[in-house]
Coordinates of all heavy atoms in Angstrom, one line a residue:
M139 N -10.0 1.0 17.9 CA -9.6 1.3 19.3 C -8.7 2.5 19.3 O -7.7 2.6 18.6 CB -8.9 0.1 19.8 CG -8.2 0.2 21.1 SD -7.3 -1.2 21.5 CE -6.0 -0.6 22.6
S140 N -8.9 3.5 20.2 CA -8.0 4.6 20.3 C -6.9 4.3 21.2 O -7.0 3.8 22.3 CB -8.9 5.8 20.9 OG -8.1 7.0 21.0
M141 N -5.7 4.7 20.8 CA -4.4 4.4 21.5 C -3.9 5.7 22.1 O -3.5 6.5 21.4 CB -3.4 3.7 20.6 CG -2.1 3.6 21.2 SD -2.0 2.5 22.7 CE -2.7 1.0 22.1
R142 N -4.0 5.9 23.4 CA -3.7 7.1 24.0 C -2.5 6.9 25.1 O -2.0 7.9 25.5 CB -4.8 7.7 24.6 CG -5.9 8.1 23.7 CD -5.6 9.3 22.8 NE -6.6 9.5 21.9 CZ -6.4 9.8 20.6 NH1 -5.1 9.7 20.0 NH2 -7.4 9.9 19.8
S143 N -2.1 5.8 25.5 CA -1.2 5.5 26.4 C 0.1 5.0 25.7 O 0.2 4.1 25.1 CB -1.6 4.5 27.4 OG -0.5 4.1 28.3
I144 N 1.3 5.8 26.1 CA 2.6 5.4 25.4 C 3.0 4.1 26.0 O 3.6 3.3 25.2 CB 3.6 6.5 25.7 CG1 4.9 6.2 24.8 CG2 3.9 6.7 27.2 CD1 5.9 7.4 24.7
E145 N 2.7 3.7 27.2 CA 3.1 2.6 27.9 C 2.4 1.3 27.2 O 3.0 0.3 26.8 CB 2.9 2.5 29.3 CG 3.6 3.5 30.1 CD 3.1 4.9 30.1 OE1 2.0 5.2 29.8 OE2 3.8 5.8 30.5
V146 N 1.1 1.5 26.9 CA 0.5 0.4 26.2 C 0.9 0.3 24.7 O 1.1 -0.9 24.3 CB -1.1 0.7 26.2 CG1 -1.8 -0.3 25.3 CG2 -1.6 0.7 27.6
F147 N 1.2 1.4 24.1 CA 1.7 1.4 22.8 C 3.1 0.5 22.7 O 3.3 -0.3 21.9 CB 1.9 2.7 22.2 CG 2.4 2.7 20.8 CD1 1.5 2.7 19.7 CD2 3.8 2.8 20.5 CE1 1.9 2.7 18.3 CE2 4.2 2.8 19.1 CZ 3.2 2.8 18.1
R148 N 4.0 0.9 23.6 CA 5.3 0.3 23.7 C 5.2 -1.3 23.9 O 6.0 -1.9 23.5 CB 6.1 0.9 24.8 CG 6.7 2.3 24.4 CD 7.4 3.0 25.5 NE 8.1 4.2 25.1 CZ 8.5 5.1 25.9 NH1 8.3 5.0 27.2 NH2 9.0 6.2 25.3
L149 N 4.2 -1.7 24.7 CA 4.1 -3.1 24.9 C 3.4 -3.9 24.0 O 3.3 -5.0 23.9 CB 3.3 -3.2 26.3 CG 4.1 -2.7 27.5 CD1 3.2 -2.9 28.8 CD2 5.3 -3.6 27.8
S150 N 2.8 -3.1 22.9 CA 2.0 -3.7 21.8 C 2.9 -4.6 20.9 O 4.1 -4.2 20.8 CB 1.3 -2.7 21.0 OG 0.3 -2.1 21.8
S151 N 2.4 -5.5 20.2 CA 3.2 -6.3 19.2 C 3.5 -5.3 18.0 O 2.9 -4.3 17.8 CB 2.3 -7.4 18.7 OG 1.2 -7.0 17.9
F152 N 4.6 -5.7 17.2 CA 4.9 -4.9 16.0 C 3.6 -4.8 15.1 O 3.4 -3.7 14.6 CB 6.0 -5.7 15.3 CG 6.5 -5.0 14.1 CD1 7.4 -3.9 14.2 CD2 6.1 -5.3 12.8 CE1 7.8 -3.2 13.0 CE2 6.5 -4.6 11.7 CZ 7.4 -3.6 11.8
E153 N 2.9 -5.8 14.9 CA 1.7 -5.8 14.0 C 0.7 -4.7 14.6 O 0.1 -4.0 13.8 CB 1.2 -7.1 13.8 CG 2.0 -8.1 13.0 CD 3.1 -8.7 13.8 OE1 3.1 -8.6 15.1 OE2 4.0 -9.2 13.2
K154 N 0.4 -4.8 15.9 CA -0.5 -3.9 16.5 C 0.0 -2.4 16.4 O -0.9 -1.5 16.1 CB -0.6 -4.3 18.0 CG -1.7 -3.5 18.7 CD -3.2 -3.8 18.2 CE -4.1 -3.0 19.1 NZ -5.5 -3.1 18.6
K155 N 1.3 -2.2 16.5 CA 1.8 -0.9 16.4 C 1.5 -0.3 15.0 O 1.1 0.8 14.8 CB 3.3 -0.8 16.7 CG 3.6 -1.0 18.2 CD 5.1 -1.0 18.4 CE 5.4 -1.3 19.8 NZ 6.9 -1.4 20.1
C156 N 1.8 -1.3 14.0 CA 1.6 -0.9 12.6 C 0.0 -0.6 12.4 O -0.2 0.5 11.8 CB 1.9 -2.0 11.7 SG 3.6 -2.3 11.4
D157 N -0.9 -1.3 12.9 CA -2.3 -1.1 12.8 C -2.6 0.3 13.5 O -3.4 1.0 12.8 CB -3.1 -2.2 13.5 CG -3.0 -3.5 12.7 OD1 -2.6 -3.4 11.4 OD2 -3.4 -4.4 13.3
L158 N -2.1 0.6 14.7 CA -2.4 1.8 15.4 C -1.8 3.0 14.7 O -2.6 4.1 14.6 CB -1.9 1.7 16.8 CG -2.6 0.7 17.7 CD1 -1.8 0.4 18.9 CD2 -4.0 1.2 18.0
V159 N -0.7 2.9 14.1 CA -0.1 4.1 13.3 C -1.1 4.3 12.1 O -1.4 5.6 11.9 CB 1.3 3.8 12.9 CG1 1.7 4.9 11.8 CG2 2.2 3.8 14.1
I160 N -1.5 3.3 11.4 CA -2.4 3.5 10.2 C -3.7 4.1 10.7 O -4.3 5.0 10.1 CB -2.6 2.2 9.5 CG1 -1.2 1.7 8.8 CG2 -3.7 2.4 8.5 CD1 -1.3 0.4 8.3
A161 N -4.3 3.5 11.8 CA -5.7 3.9 12.1 C -5.8 5.2 13.0 O -6.8 5.9 12.9 CB -6.3 2.8 12.9
D162 N -4.8 5.5 13.9 CA -5.0 6.5 15.0 C -4.0 7.6 15.0 O -3.9 8.4 15.8 CB -4.9 5.8 16.3 CG -6.3 5.3 16.8 OD1 -7.3 5.5 16.1 OD2 -6.3 4.6 17.9
S163 N -3.2 7.7 13.9 CA -2.1 8.7 14.1 C -2.2 9.9 12.9 O -3.0 9.7 12.0 CB -0.7 8.1 13.9 OG -0.5 7.6 12.5
Y164 N -1.5 10.9 13.2 CA -1.4 12.0 12.2 C 0.0 12.1 11.8 O 0.9 12.3 12.6 CB -1.9 13.3 12.8 CG -3.3 13.2 13.3 CD1 -3.6 12.8 14.6 CD2 -4.4 13.4 12.4 CE1 -4.9 12.8 15.0 CE2 -5.6 13.3 12.7 CZ -6.0 13.0 14.1 OH -7.3 13.0 14.4
Y165 N 0.2 12.0 10.5 CA 1.6 12.2 9.9 C 2.1 13.6 10.1 O 1.3 14.5 9.9 CB 1.6 11.8 8.4 CG 2.9 12.1 7.7 CD1 4.0 11.4 7.9 CD2 3.0 13.3 6.9 CE1 5.2 11.6 7.2 CE2 4.1 13.6 6.3 CZ 5.3 12.8 6.4 OH 6.5 13.0 5.9
I166 N 3.4 13.8 10.6 CA 3.9 15.1 10.7 C 4.9 15.4 9.6 O 4.8 16.4 9.0 CB 4.5 15.3 12.0 CG1 3.4 15.0 13.2 CG2 5.1 16.6 12.3 CD1 3.8 15.1 14.6
T167 N 6.0 14.6 9.6 CA 7.0 14.8 8.7 C 7.9 13.6 8.6 O 7.7 12.6 9.2 CB 8.0 16.0 9.1 OG1 8.9 16.4 8.2 CG2 8.7 15.7 10.5
S168 N 9.1 13.7 7.8 CA 10.0 12.6 7.8 C 11.3 13.1 7.6 O 11.5 14.3 7.4 CB 9.7 11.6 6.5 OG 9.8 12.4 5.4
R169 N 12.4 12.2 7.8 CA 13.8 12.6 7.7 C 14.6 11.3 7.2 O 14.1 10.2 7.4 CB 14.4 13.0 8.9 CG 14.3 12.1 10.1 CD 14.9 12.7 11.5 NE 14.7 11.8 12.6 CZ 15.7 11.0 13.0 NH1 16.9 11.1 12.5 NH2 15.4 10.2 14.1
K170 N 15.7 11.7 6.7 CA 16.5 10.5 6.1 C 17.7 10.3 7.1 O 18.2 11.2 7.7 CB 17.0 10.9 4.8 CG 16.0 10.9 3.7 CD 16.7 11.1 2.3 CE 17.2 9.8 1.8 NZ 16.4 9.0 0.9
L171 N 18.0 9.0 7.2 CA 19.1 8.7 8.2 C 19.8 7.5 7.5 O 19.2 6.4 7.4 CB 18.7 8.3 9.6 CG 19.8 7.9 10.5 CD1 20.7 9.1 10.8 CD2 19.2 7.4 11.8
A172 N 20.9 7.7 6.7 CA 21.7 6.7 6.0 C 20.7 6.2 4.9 O 20.2 7.0 4.1 CB 22.2 5.7 6.8
D173 N 20.5 5.0 4.8 CA 19.6 4.3 3.9 C 18.1 4.1 4.3 O 17.4 3.4 3.8 CB 20.0 3.0 3.3 CG 20.3 1.9 4.4 OD1 20.2 2.3 5.5 OD2 20.5 0.8 4.0
K174 N 17.8 4.7 5.5 CA 16.5 4.7 6.1 C 15.7 6.0 6.0 O 16.3 7.1 5.9 CB 16.5 4.4 7.6 CG 17.1 2.9 7.8 CD 16.9 2.7 9.4 CE 17.7 3.6 10.3 NZ 17.6 3.2 11.7
K175 N 14.4 5.9 5.9 CA 13.6 7.1 6.1 C 12.8 6.8 7.4 O 12.3 5.8 7.6 CB 12.7 7.2 4.9 CG 12.0 8.6 4.7 CD 11.7 8.8 3.4 CE 11.2 10.3 3.3 NZ 10.7 10.6 1.9
I176 N 12.8 8.0 8.2 CA 12.1 7.9 9.4 C 10.9 8.8 9.3 O 11.1 10.0 9.2 CB 13.0 8.2 10.6 CG1 14.3 7.3 10.6 CG2 12.2 8.2 11.9 CD1 15.3 7.7 11.6
Y177 N 9.7 8.2 9.6 CA 8.5 9.0 9.4 C 8.0 9.3 10.9 O 8.0 8.4 11.7 CB 7.4 8.2 8.7 CG 7.8 7.8 7.3 CD1 8.5 6.7 7.0 CD2 7.4 8.7 6.4 CE1 8.8 6.5 5.6 CE2 7.7 8.5 5.0 CZ 8.4 7.4 4.6 OH 8.8 7.1 3.4
L178 N 7.6 10.5 11.2 CA 7.1 11.0 12.5 C 5.6 11.1 12.4 O 5.1 11.8 11.5 CB 7.8 12.3 12.8 CG 7.4 12.9 14.2 CD1 7.9 12.0 15.3 CD2 8.0 14.4 14.3
Y179 N 5.1 10.5 13.4 CA 3.6 10.6 13.6 C 3.2 11.1 14.9 O 4.0 10.9 15.9 CB 2.9 9.2 13.4 CG 3.1 8.7 12.0 CD1 4.2 8.0 11.6 CD2 2.1 8.9 11.0 CE1 4.4 7.4 10.3 CE2 2.2 8.4 9.7 CZ 3.4 7.7 9.4 OH 3.5 7.2 8.2
H180 N 2.0 11.5 15.1 CA 1.5 12.0 16.5 C 0.3 11.1 16.8 O -0.6 11.0 15.9 CB 1.2 13.5 16.5 CG 0.7 13.9 17.8 ND1 -0.6 14.2 18.1 CD2 1.4 14.1 18.9 CE1 -0.8 14.6 19.3 NE2 0.4 14.5 19.9
I181 N 0.3 10.6 18.0 CA -0.9 9.8 18.6 C -1.2 10.3 20.0 O -0.4 10.1 20.9 CB -0.6 8.3 18.6 CG1 -0.3 7.7 17.3 CG2 -1.9 7.5 19.2 CD1 0.0 6.2 17.3
G182 N -2.3 11.0 20.1 CA -2.7 11.4 21.4 C -1.6 12.2 22.2 O -1.4 13.3 21.7
E183 N -1.1 11.7 23.1 CA -0.1 12.4 23.9 C 1.4 12.1 23.7 O 2.3 12.5 24.4 CB -0.3 12.0 25.5 CG -1.7 12.4 25.9 CD -1.9 13.8 26.3 OE1 -1.0 14.4 26.9 OE2 -3.0 14.3 26.0
F184 N 1.6 11.3 22.5 CA 2.9 11.1 22.3 C 3.3 11.0 20.8 O 2.4 11.1 19.9 CB 3.4 9.7 22.9 CG 2.5 8.5 22.5 CD1 2.9 7.6 21.5 CD2 1.3 8.2 23.1 CE1 2.2 6.7 21.0 CE2 0.5 7.2 22.7 CZ 1.0 6.3 21.8
F185 N 4.6 10.7 20.4 CA 5.0 10.7 19.0 C 5.5 9.3 18.7 O 6.0 8.6 19.6 CB 6.0 11.7 18.8 CG 5.6 13.2 19.0 CD1 5.8 13.8 20.2 CD2 5.0 13.8 17.9 CE1 5.3 15.1 20.4 CE2 4.6 15.1 18.1 CZ 4.7 15.7 19.3
V186 N 5.4 9.0 17.4 CA 5.8 7.6 16.9 C 6.7 7.8 15.7 O 6.4 8.6 14.9 CB 4.6 6.8 16.6 CG1 5.1 5.4 16.0 CG2 3.7 6.4 17.8
E187 N 7.9 7.1 15.8 CA 8.7 7.0 14.7 C 8.7 5.7 14.0 O 8.8 4.7 14.6 CB 10.3 7.3 15.1 CG 10.5 8.8 15.5 CD 12.0 8.9 15.9 OE1 12.6 8.1 16.6 OE2 12.5 9.9 15.4
V188 N 8.5 5.8 12.8 CA 8.5 4.5 11.9 C 9.7 4.4 11.1 O 9.8 5.3 10.2 CB 7.2 4.4 11.0 CG1 7.2 3.2 10.1 CG2 6.0 4.4 11.9
H189 N 10.7 3.5 11.3 CA 11.9 3.4 10.5 C 11.7 2.4 9.4 O 11.4 1.4 9.6 CB 13.0 2.9 11.5 CG 13.3 3.7 12.6 ND1 14.4 4.4 12.7 CD2 12.5 4.1 13.7 CE1 14.5 5.1 13.9 NE2 13.3 5.0 14.4
Y190 N 11.8 3.1 8.2 CA 11.6 2.3 7.0 C 12.9 2.2 6.2 O 13.6 3.2 5.9 CB 10.5 3.1 6.1 CG 10.3 2.4 4.8 CD1 9.5 1.3 4.7 CD2 10.9 2.9 3.5 CE1 9.2 0.6 3.5 CE2 10.6 2.2 2.4 CZ 9.7 1.1 2.4 OH 9.5 0.5 1.2
S191 N 13.2 1.0 5.8 CA 14.4 0.7 4.9 C 14.1 0.8 3.4 O 13.2 0.0 3.0 CB 15.0 -0.6 5.2 OG 15.9 -1.0 4.3
S192 N 14.6 1.8 2.8 CA 14.4 1.8 1.3 C 15.1 0.7 0.5 O 14.8 0.2 -0.5 CB 14.8 3.2 0.7 OG 16.1 3.5 1.2
V193 N 16.2 0.1 1.2 CA 16.9 -0.9 0.6 C 16.0 -2.3 0.7 O 15.8 -3.0 -0.3 CB 18.3 -1.1 1.2 CG1 19.0 -2.5 0.8 CG2 19.2 0.1 1.0
D194 N 15.6 -2.5 1.9 CA 14.8 -3.8 2.1 C 13.3 -3.7 1.8 O 12.5 -4.6 1.8 CB 14.9 -4.2 3.6 CG 16.4 -4.6 4.0 OD1 17.2 -5.0 3.1 OD2 16.8 -4.4 5.1
K195 N 12.9 -2.4 1.6 CA 11.5 -2.0 1.4 C 10.6 -2.5 2.4 O 9.6 -3.2 2.1 CB 11.1 -2.4 0.0 CG 11.9 -1.8 -1.1 CD 11.3 -1.9 -2.5 CE 12.1 -1.4 -3.7 NZ 12.8 -0.2 -3.4
R196 N 10.8 -2.2 3.7 CA 10.1 -2.7 4.8 C 10.3 -1.9 6.1 O 11.4 -1.2 6.2 CB 10.3 -4.2 5.2 CG 11.7 -4.5 5.8 CD 11.9 -6.0 6.0 NE 13.1 -6.3 6.6 CZ 13.3 -6.3 7.9 NH1 12.3 -6.2 8.7 NH2 14.5 -6.6 8.4
V197 N 9.3 -1.9 6.9 CA 9.5 -1.2 8.2 C 10.3 -2.0 9.1 O 10.2 -3.3 9.3 CB 8.1 -1.0 8.9 CG1 8.2 -0.4 10.3 CG2 7.3 -0.2 8.1
L198 N 11.5 -1.3 9.6 CA 12.4 -2.1 10.4 C 12.1 -2.0 12.0 O 12.3 -2.9 12.7 CB 13.8 -1.4 10.3 CG 14.4 -1.5 8.9 CD1 15.6 -0.7 8.8 CD2 14.6 -3.0 8.4
M199 N 11.5 -0.8 12.4 CA 11.2 -0.5 13.7 C 10.2 0.6 13.9 O 10.1 1.4 13.1 CB 12.6 -0.1 14.4 CG 12.6 0.1 15.8 SD 14.1 0.7 16.6 CE 14.4 2.2 16.0
I200 N 9.4 0.4 15.0 CA 8.6 1.4 15.4 C 8.8 1.8 16.9 O 8.8 0.9 17.7 CB 7.1 1.0 15.2 CG1 6.9 0.6 13.8 CG2 6.1 2.0 15.7 CD1 5.5 0.0 13.5
S201 N 9.0 3.1 17.1 CA 9.4 3.5 18.5 C 8.5 4.7 18.9 O 7.9 5.3 18.0 CB 10.8 3.8 18.6 OG 11.2 4.8 17.8
A202 N 8.4 4.9 20.1 CA 7.4 6.0 20.6 C 8.3 6.8 21.7 O 9.1 6.3 22.4 CB 6.2 5.4 21.3
F203 N 8.0 8.0 21.7 CA 8.5 9.0 22.7 C 7.5 10.1 23.1 O 6.7 10.4 22.3 CB 9.9 9.6 22.2 CG 9.8 10.5 21.0 CD1 9.6 11.9 21.2 CD2 9.8 10.0 19.8 CE1 9.5 12.7 20.1 CE2 9.8 10.7 18.7 CZ 9.6 12.2 18.8
D204 N 7.8 10.7 24.2 CA 6.9 11.8 24.7 C 7.6 13.0 25.3 O 7.1 13.7 26.1 CB 5.8 11.2 25.6 CG 6.4 10.6 26.9 OD1 7.5 10.5 27.0 OD2 5.5 10.2 27.7
D205 N 9.0 13.0 24.9 CA 9.7 14.1 25.4 C 10.3 15.0 24.3 O 10.3 14.7 23.3 CB 10.9 13.7 26.3 CG 11.8 12.7 25.6 OD1 11.7 12.6 24.3 OD2 12.7 12.1 26.2
I206 N 10.7 16.3 24.7 CA 11.1 17.2 23.7 C 12.3 16.8 23.0 O 12.6 17.1 21.9 CB 11.2 18.7 24.4 CG1 11.3 19.7 23.3 CG2 12.4 18.7 25.2 CD1 9.9 19.9 22.6
A207 N 13.2 16.1 23.7 CA 14.5 15.5 23.2 C 14.2 14.7 21.9 O 15.2 14.8 21.0 CB 15.3 14.9 24.2
G208 N 13.2 14.0 21.9 CA 13.0 13.2 20.7 C 12.6 14.0 19.5 O 12.7 13.4 18.4
M209 N 12.2 15.2 19.7 CA 11.8 16.0 18.5 C 13.2 16.7 17.9 O 13.0 17.3 16.7 CB 10.9 17.1 19.0 CG 9.6 16.6 19.3 SD 8.7 15.8 18.0 CE 8.3 17.1 17.0
E210 N 14.3 16.8 18.6 CA 15.5 17.4 18.2 C 15.9 17.1 16.7 O 16.2 18.0 16.0 CB 16.6 17.1 19.1 CG 17.9 17.9 19.0 CD 17.6 19.4 19.3 OE1 16.9 19.6 20.1 OE2 18.2 20.2 18.6
P211 N 15.8 15.9 16.4 CA 16.3 15.5 14.9 C 15.3 16.2 13.8 O 15.6 16.3 12.7 CB 16.1 14.0 14.8 CG 16.2 13.6 16.2 CD 15.6 14.7 17.0
Y212 N 14.2 16.6 14.2 CA 13.2 17.2 13.3 C 13.2 18.7 13.2 O 12.5 19.2 12.3 CB 11.8 16.7 13.6 CG 11.6 15.2 13.5 CD1 11.8 14.4 14.7 CD2 11.5 14.6 12.4 CE1 11.8 13.1 14.6 CE2 11.5 13.2 12.3 CZ 11.5 12.4 13.4 OH 11.6 11.1 13.3
V213 N 13.9 19.4 14.1 CA 13.9 20.9 14.2 C 14.4 21.4 12.8 O 13.8 22.4 12.4 CB 15.0 21.3 15.3 CG1 15.0 22.8 15.3 CG2 14.3 20.8 16.7
E214 N 15.3 20.8 12.2 CA 15.9 21.5 10.9 C 14.8 21.4 9.8 O 14.9 22.2 8.9 CB 17.1 20.9 10.5 CG 17.1 19.5 10.1 CD 18.4 18.8 9.8 OE1 19.3 19.1 10.6 OE2 18.4 18.0 8.9
N215 N 13.8 20.5 9.9 CA 12.9 20.4 8.9 C 11.6 21.3 9.1 O 10.7 21.4 8.2 CB 12.3 19.0 8.9 CG 13.3 17.9 8.5 OD1 14.3 18.3 7.8 ND2 13.0 16.7 8.8
V216 N 11.5 22.0 10.2 CA 10.4 22.9 10.5 C 10.7 24.3 10.2 O 11.8 24.9 10.5 CB 10.0 22.7 12.0 CG1 8.9 23.6 12.4 CG2 9.7 21.3 12.4
S217 N 9.7 24.9 9.4 CA 9.9 26.4 9.1 C 8.7 27.1 9.6 O 7.6 26.7 9.6 CB 9.9 26.6 7.6 OG 9.9 27.8 7.2
L218 N 9.0 28.2 10.3 CA 8.0 29.1 10.8 C 7.8 30.4 10.0 O 7.0 31.2 10.4 CB 8.4 29.6 12.3 CG 8.7 28.4 13.2 CD1 9.1 29.1 14.5 CD2 7.5 27.6 13.4
R219 N 8.3 30.3 8.7 CA 8.2 31.5 7.9 C 6.7 31.8 7.6 O 6.3 32.9 7.5 CB 9.0 31.2 6.6 CG 10.2 31.9 6.5 CD 10.9 31.7 5.1 NE 12.2 31.2 5.5 CZ 12.8 30.3 4.9 NH1 12.4 29.9 3.6 NH2 14.0 29.8 5.2
E220 N 5.9 30.8 7.4 CA 4.6 31.0 7.0 C 3.8 31.7 8.1 O 2.7 32.2 7.9 CB 3.8 29.6 6.7 CG 4.4 29.0 5.5 CD 5.7 28.3 5.8 OE1 6.0 27.7 6.9 OE2 6.5 28.2 4.7
L221 N 4.3 31.7 9.3 CA 3.6 32.4 10.5 C 3.8 33.9 10.5 O 3.0 34.6 11.2 CB 4.0 31.9 11.8 CG 3.9 30.3 12.1 CD1 4.4 29.9 13.4 CD2 2.3 30.0 12.0
A222 N 4.6 34.4 9.7 CA 4.9 35.9 9.6 C 5.1 36.5 11.0 O 4.4 37.5 11.4 CB 3.6 36.5 8.8
L223 N 6.1 36.0 11.7 CA 6.4 36.4 13.0 C 7.3 37.7 12.9 O 8.1 37.8 12.1 CB 7.0 35.5 13.9 CG 6.2 34.1 14.1 CD1 6.9 33.0 14.8 CD2 4.9 34.6 14.9

């Protein structure tokens, strides 16, 4: 099943969100926050963050966003050097 609506994704169960990230998303990058690692994925028209605890060795939360403000924490991880601008 292709997941293209952020509203439907947000209303899905935790297990369904996990399945959709595995089946329908594209990994972009990750960042560290305290003892967590946050993985950023893209699904259709929105982005998904998977919060993983390295201490507990499990996914703590899955959230979705579709605005530019959600991308702010990832700006420092992106390099445009390869584009030779």
